[in-house]
Amino acid sequence: MGFRYHTIVIFCLLLIQTSLFPQTHLMEGEMITSEDGLANNMTAAIYKDRKGFIWIGTGYGINKYDGKNFNLFAKETNGLYANSEISRIREDKTGRLWVFYRNSFSMVPSPSSRDTVAAIDIFDPNTEQAIPFDTLFYNQVPFRAGELYLPKIQDPQNRLWLHTTKGELFLYQQDQFHKIFQYKDVFFEYITIDRNDHIWLGWEDNLIVIDSTGALLDEIELPEQIIGIWQGQGKDMFVATHSTIGRHVSLWRKPWHEPLSPFIPKRNEQPILADSTYTFLYLNRQGYWFMKVDDELHLFDYHGNWLNNYTTQMGRSPDITIFDYFEDNHRLWMTASTGIIKVGVRENPFQLIHKKEDMLSDCRSITEDEHGNIYFLNSNIFCWNKQTEKLTKLPDSLGAAFAIIYADSIIWAGNYGVSPMGYDINLSTFKKIYYLPFHQDKFLVHTVAKANDPHRFLVGLNTGIAYLDLHQKKLIPFGGYSPDNEKDQFLEKSEVNFIHKNASGFWLATNHGIFLLSEEKGVIRHFDSSTGELPFDYIRHIHESNDGDFWLATKGGGVVQWKPSLDDRKETSYRQFTTEDGLSDNFTYAVYEDDLGKLWIPSDKGLMQMDKQSLHIRNFTTEDGLSHNEFNHTSHYQAKDGTLYFGGLGGLISFHPKDLVEENHYAPSLEFIRYHVLEEGNDKMLDTTSFLAESGYINIRPQDKFIELHFMLLDFNDIEKHRYAYQIEGYSDSWNYINENFIRITHLPYGDYTLKIKGKSASHDWSEKELHLNIHALRPFYLQAWFLIIMSVLIVILTIGVIRWQYTC
């Protein structure tokens, strides 16, 4: 692994209380150094381009990073102005990189914003060559590179802003330099563009606001020298100031057209002060503050409450003198003299409601009352009030297991063991009544469904079914079987895991397939693998979607999309999904559907989300916020408001699918990174990457032994767990699945083909974007038109010659 420090995503039971339960955040911290392939630990500039590659200015030149490999570009090989003093890297609309060099000769760059520019390179990633700014824009711009300052600029749109020593502010767009504003002989140390495209310019103790045309909107005088400006939430702006006396740092909140007010970060109600030496403060777009405190990197929420110490989390004390940074979704990448620091924070979408303190939980069945209160089993019966976020344990409820229902202020829960089978508790009086088994072999209730009789419930047992009667306070044998019906007898020997009711009757998920039951007639139909109507027999859960399809969770057979037919003239059909299709595990417990057409499937290896239309699958694990990867049998429920509840060894979690809509958008770039060719007669492969970047296609010549194409899914997370698939359209219609990020093509018949490549990360399904590359496999020279024409002409000439010779003889 080298010297890379990963913070396994942790569940921080933080200090911000919401009733009994703390707000949970997912945090990660990592250092990337020369031992991971970085050219030099002295990093000063960092930028992510539109394709998804990360560019780092180091003490030895520029590194291009794809999450696995670092490519170095230097003065000697790529025409850079210098190999050091790189202070900033930005990108224009054509994809060229603008590399800014500071006017300094110190070994360690200063984080001061008063840097002036020594030179600018315009670097083309395709040709991998740099052209000096003054050469490329000769006589096209009213300033030279050496007449520019390097203020701290924050623009969510990543536009190219240039600030001259004359106090001019230019915006480079569409190959033109647009002068936006000028404040003569003033150096704007901080430039921040807000979401309304207003431009906030700060220098010394002055702050002005202009619009995109340069019109002055506001002027604010600060009590101290400005050292930072950030866009907050809503109409908030934040400003940091630095006192020359006492060297303390102050933060100020500035709502639009309202006065400044102090903003004080706190830990345990005690004020926290940012470091006054080489101060680092940053407010990201999600509303989290990153702050250097006592030479360590700390995290605060939007209101200034302390959340985390990243330095402690990373297990090492990196240099927190930050020179440059960029924000990438929930992560912040920073450069320092000890390498690259990458940290992340996001709210955990999965709320942990309850878990056992010092042991694995045994969380089971879940139900809901008319007020939206949630009741669940975890050795006892617990009640979760969603409105107050208050959790209570029902008294005298030890031993509750598997099944639970609520009806008319009565909670009924199944028990472990042979006797009693369960009990009910009156929530008004808390009186407890036990229910005894009616047969020694029927002692465990797995599932409960409302029967046609309003006073009864149909229950699925460890073998067969029965009635639960809350009025008579007992379990009663099911009496609706028909005499001599073999299917009824088979059901009585089956474990009933779940009961789904619709207009056709009761659908029973068992270890012997699915039974369709009528309370009056007994078993109407039995579906299993022996009849070819199911691919797998052990069914744990049944979900019926609005389109009439059934979705089945199985014990070892993945998930089944099932279209049962009760008409003998029509066939029952199905489609089975397993780990081969992207599931994290074939042992699944339930299937629930949300309003967005997504299916949610708990398993023994995390929680899966499947899109019904695209069939894309996303896998959630502890790294995504789950308290444990293994869920439990019968421990699942969808509340009336759409909230999903799943229980397992990590306790009970809840989430609403709408909160994961943004999380579900997964579109990392997939890019080619290298193209090598081995020619006949050569022992060493030829690097032709630049040709591929410029042309967008490749030719395979007959003398090429093979070609090797490398690619990368640019999501920078668990790279070693990525999977890829490729298809050569025109040669094969099937996808080839591989764990490596390269393919080698050899002996491809001549012709035209399209290579397709897709990628998959550890927790997401296959990428939305596919790589497409046209391949021309050239004919051998003896099959090419020019050769055949020449040979034809020669044959004709030879034939004529032979004929003439014969006549002359």
Side-chain angles (χ1 to χ4, degrees):
M1 286 295 292
F3 197 49
R4 176 176 295 184
Y5 289 84
H6 291 278
T7 297
I8 306 303
V9 176
I10 59 172
F11 301 96
C12 301
L13 299 184
L14 303 172
L15 301 176
I16 307 171
Q17 296 293 326
T18 55
S19 183
L20 293 179
F21 290 89
Q23 183 178 1
T24 305
H25 288 79
L26 304 177
M27 304 178 199
E28 56 183 303
E30 178 183 347
M31 281 200 65
I32 302 171
T33 72
S34 57
E35 295 197 15
D36 300 300
L38 188 64
N40 182 256
N41 284 339
M42 181 60 255
T43 59
I46 190 165
Y47 182 79
K48 185 175 183 179
D49 69 20
R50 68 188 62 187
K51 289 185 175 180
F53 293 106
I54 293 177
W55 299 83
I56 306 114
T58 78
Y60 290 170
I62 299 174
N63 267 159
K64 178 184 179 183
Y65 183 45
D66 58 31
K68 184 177 182 179
N69 308 291
F70 290 89
N71 292 336
L72 180 64
F73 304 96
K75 176 180 179 180
E76 296 78 9
T77 54
N78 307 95
L80 299 182
Y81 169 78
N83 289 332
S84 60
E85 310 299 341
I86 299 169
S87 184
R88 186 169 299 162
I89 302 172
R90 293 295 182 265
E91 183 182 20
D92 62 25
K93 295 298 182 182
T94 67
R96 299 176 302 186
L97 299 178
W98 293 45
V99 184
F100 295 81
Y101 300 84
R102 63 193 178 95
N103 196 1
S104 175
F105 298 98
S106 60
M107 180 64 69
V108 179
S110 166
S112 168
S113 58
R114 290 186 176 275
D115 289 338
T116 55
V117 172
I120 304 173
D121 277 333
I122 311 300
F123 180 80
D124 189 332
N126 293 329
T127 64
E128 299 179 353
Q129 292 297 314
I131 301 174
F133 172 89
D134 291 336
T135 300
L136 183 64
F137 294 105
Y138 183 72
N139 285 339
Q140 298 180 40
V141 62
F143 54 82
R144 298 180 66 81
E147 298 174 317
L148 293 176
Y149 277 129
L150 282 172
K152 299 294 185 187
I153 301 174
Q154 294 188 44
D155 181 359
Q157 298 182 49
N158 281 330
R159 290 169 290 189
L160 263 168
W161 297 88
L162 301 167
H163 178 34
T164 73
T165 54
K166 298 177 182 178
E168 300 164 304
L169 180 64
F170 286 88
L171 176 61
Y172 180 71
Q173 281 184 320
Q174 299 174 340
D175 296 326
Q176 292 186 4
F177 296 87
H178 304 275
K179 185 175 178 179
I180 303 298
F181 185 71
Q182 181 175 11
Y183 202 125
K184 191 174 181 181
D185 298 328
V186 166
F187 168 44
F188 304 128
E189 300 174 78
Y190 298 91
I191 303 174
T192 298
I193 292 83
D194 67 20
R195 62 175 57 91
N196 297 313
D197 222 24
H198 297 152
I199 305 165
W200 296 68
L201 306 171
W203 74 100
E204 297 178 352
D205 59 356
N206 301 288
L207 179 62
I208 63 173
V209 188
I210 61 174
D211 65 15
S212 57
T213 68
L216 184 65
L217 301 178
D218 200 0
E219 292 184 84
I220 305 119
E221 185 174 344
L222 278 295
E224 300 165 337
Q225 181 178 340
I226 296 175
I227 57 171
I229 309 168
W230 300 274
Q231 165 77 67
Q233 297 175 359
K235 297 181 179 180
D236 285 352
M237 294 295 293
F238 288 89
V239 181
T241 62
H242 185 246
S243 173
T244 56
I245 303 173
R247 309 294 294 175
H248 68 269
V249 175
S250 299
L251 272 168
W252 307 88
R253 177 173 169 267
K254 174 68 176 71
W256 185 247
H257 289 317
E258 293 185 28
L260 292 166
S261 61
F263 178 79
I264 304 174
K266 294 181 179 180
R267 182 176 185 180
N268 297 332
E269 299 303 320
Q270 298 299 313
I272 296 292
L273 297 178
D275 285 2
S276 58
T277 304
Y278 293 156
T279 302
F280 177 71
L281 286 162
Y282 182 71
L283 177 64
N284 76 356
R285 287 189 285 273
Q286 283 72 43
Y288 293 98
W289 286 96
F290 298 83
M291 185 182 303
K292 179 183 176 184
V293 179
D294 296 329
D295 275 330
E296 295 179 328
L297 185 62
H298 288 251
L299 178 71
F300 298 80
D301 71 8
Y302 188 73
H303 304 289
N305 301 295
W306 182 88
L307 297 178
N308 188 37
N309 182 344
Y310 282 111
T311 304
T312 301
Q313 188 178 0
M314 286 188 286
R316 179 182 181 232
S317 297
D319 180 8
I320 307 300
T321 303
I322 307 300
F323 305 120
D324 195 16
Y325 50 84
F326 76 88
E327 183 179 344
D328 183 27
N329 294 323
H330 64 275
R331 294 190 179 96
L332 185 65
W333 297 67
M334 298 164 283
T335 59
S337 63
T338 52
I340 300 170
I341 304 169
K342 182 177 71 169
V343 296
V345 57
R346 55 196 168 102
E347 286 193 36
N348 186 356
F350 306 106
Q351 182 178 13
L352 178 62
I353 291 175
H354 175 263
K355 66 175 293 185
K356 294 180 179 178
E357 289 299 323
D358 302 318
M359 58 188 297
L360 293 176
S361 291
D362 190 22
C363 191
R364 297 291 176 177
S365 191
I366 308 160
T367 192
E368 182 180 14
D369 67 18
E370 66 271 18
H371 304 296
N373 296 313
I374 299 297
Y375 298 86
F376 64 95
L377 308 180
N378 202 349
S379 298
N380 288 272
I381 302 176
F382 291 88
C383 176
W384 168 248
N385 186 315
K386 289 197 301 184
Q387 303 302 319
T388 63
E389 294 193 326
K390 184 179 180 181
L391 182 73
T392 55
K393 181 172 68 174
L394 270 61
D396 195 21
S397 61
L398 184 64
F402 283 101
I404 187 172
I405 57 167
Y406 170 87
D408 300 326
S409 298
I410 298 292
I411 284 288
W412 189 93
N415 247 14
Y416 281 116
V418 174
S419 183
M421 290 184 70
Y423 56 83
D424 72 36
I425 296 177
N426 187 310
L427 296 179
S428 299
T429 64
F430 288 101
K431 182 181 178 181
K432 183 177 182 180
I433 297 176
Y434 287 102
Y435 289 61
L436 300 178
F438 60 86
H439 191 283
Q440 63 179 3
D441 294 332
K442 299 178 182 294
F443 52 82
L444 196 60
V445 178
H446 286 157
T447 183
V448 183
K450 198 76 180 67
N452 294 331
D453 185 328
H455 303 302
R456 285 187 172 183
F457 292 85
L458 188 67
V459 297
L461 304 174
N462 58 305
T463 55
I465 56 175
Y467 281 122
L468 170 66
D469 194 311
L470 293 181
H471 278 202
Q472 297 185 47
K473 303 295 182 184
K474 62 181 181 180
L475 284 133
I476 302 170
F478 178 75
Y481 292 133
S482 299
D484 303 322
N485 186 340
E486 293 183 1
K487 296 184 178 67
D488 291 342
Q489 297 174 24
F490 194 23
L491 171 59
E492 279 299 295
K493 298 177 183 178
S494 302
E495 176 185 282
V496 180
N497 300 306
F498 186 77
I499 302 174
H500 169 68
K501 183 181 180 182
N502 66 11
S504 299
F506 294 87
W507 299 79
L508 311 182
T510 78
N511 60 329
H512 294 136
I514 294 177
F515 294 84
L516 176 58
L517 179 81
S518 164
E519 286 192 80
E520 294 78 24
K521 300 178 181 178
V523 176
I524 302 171
R525 288 288 301 270
H526 177 220
F527 305 86
D528 66 2
S529 59
S530 66
T531 64
E533 294 175 303
L534 280 174
F536 197 82
D537 286 337
Y538 205 122
I539 312 299
R540 279 174 163 166
H541 184 255
I542 300 170
H543 166 72
E544 185 177 4
S545 62
N546 294 331
D547 56 14
D549 286 358
F550 284 67
W551 292 85
L552 314 177
T554 73
K555 187 180 180 180
V559 173
V560 179
Q561 182 183 15
W562 191 51
K563 299 176 185 292
S565 174
L566 302 181
D567 186 344
D568 293 335
R569 294 169 297 179
K570 296 181 180 179
E571 290 187 359
T572 292
S573 61
Y574 63 80
R575 180 176 179 182
Q576 186 176 14
F577 300 89
T578 67
T579 53
E580 292 296 317
D581 303 290
L583 297 185
S584 62
D585 193 37
N586 290 331
F587 289 80
T588 59
Y589 290 107
V591 181
Y592 286 94
E593 185 175 358
D594 63 26
D595 293 334
L596 304 172
K598 304 288 194 302
L599 303 175
W600 295 89
I601 307 156
S603 76
D604 279 342
K605 293 182 180 177
L607 175 65
M608 292 169 277
Q609 178 207 67
M610 175 187 285
D611 188 292
K612 284 175 54 181
Q613 298 301 318
S614 66
L615 301 179
H616 285 172
I617 299 168
R618 181 180 179 186
N619 299 312
F620 296 87
T621 65
T622 53
E623 294 185 359
D624 302 292
L626 298 181
S627 53
H628 198 284
N629 285 334
E630 185 172 331
F631 290 92
N632 278 343
H633 181 43
T634 76
S635 193
H636 42 79
Y637 182 74
Q638 186 171 38
K640 292 188 284 285
D641 66 356
T643 301
L644 289 168
Y645 295 84
F646 295 116
L649 301 188
L652 180 68
I653 63 164
S654 73
F655 67 97
H656 199 291
K658 68 178 177 58
D659 295 331
L660 286 159
V661 171
E662 187 172 341
E663 289 274 338
N664 293 338
H665 181 69
Y666 175 65
S669 184
L670 181 64
E671 298 290 340
F672 288 111
I673 56 174
R674 283 194 301 278
Y675 168 38
H676 291 160
V677 177
L678 181 64
E679 297 177 336
E680 189 172 349
N682 289 342
D683 296 327
K684 194 172 182 180
M685 288 194 294
L686 181 67
D687 188 344
T688 51
T689 305
S690 58
F691 172 81
L692 175 61
E694 289 188 80
S695 64
Y697 69 90
I698 58 175
N699 290 325
I700 301 179
R701 301 167 301 173
Q703 64 267 34
D704 295 335
K705 286 185 176 181
F706 62 80
I707 65 168
E708 194 171 89
L709 284 159
H710 293 245
F711 34 84
M712 186 64 71
L713 188 67
L714 300 174
D715 75 344
F716 301 93
N717 187 36
D718 290 330
I719 301 297
E720 64 279 0
K721 296 181 182 178
H722 286 181
R723 288 188 68 202
Y724 297 92
Y726 72 93
Q727 177 190 75
I728 303 178
E729 196 174 73
Y731 179 73
S732 172
D733 294 331
S734 62
W735 286 93
N736 300 282
Y737 295 89
I738 56 177
N739 294 323
E740 300 81 15
N741 67 315
F742 69 91
I743 58 172
R744 183 174 288 180
I745 300 176
T746 183
H747 301 307
L748 191 65
Y750 63 81
D752 293 334
Y753 308 93
T754 300
L755 172 65
K756 296 181 177 180
I757 300 172
K758 59 184 179 180
K760 181 183 183 302
S761 74
S763 59
H764 289 79
D765 191 36
W766 295 100
S767 53
E768 295 177 6
K769 177 182 176 181
E770 290 181 1
L771 278 178
H772 289 186
L773 180 67
N774 291 327
I775 299 177
H776 308 298
L778 303 179
R779 297 169 182 259
F781 73 92
Y782 51 84
L783 293 179
Q784 294 188 30
W786 63 268
F787 182 82
L788 294 176
I789 291 171
I790 292 174
M791 293 304 297
S792 299
V793 171
L794 290 175
I795 290 172
V796 170
I797 292 173
L798 182 61
T799 302
I800 294 173
V802 169
I803 292 172
R804 286 181 176 178
W805 178 77
Q806 288 178 340
Y807 276 111
T808 57
C809 293

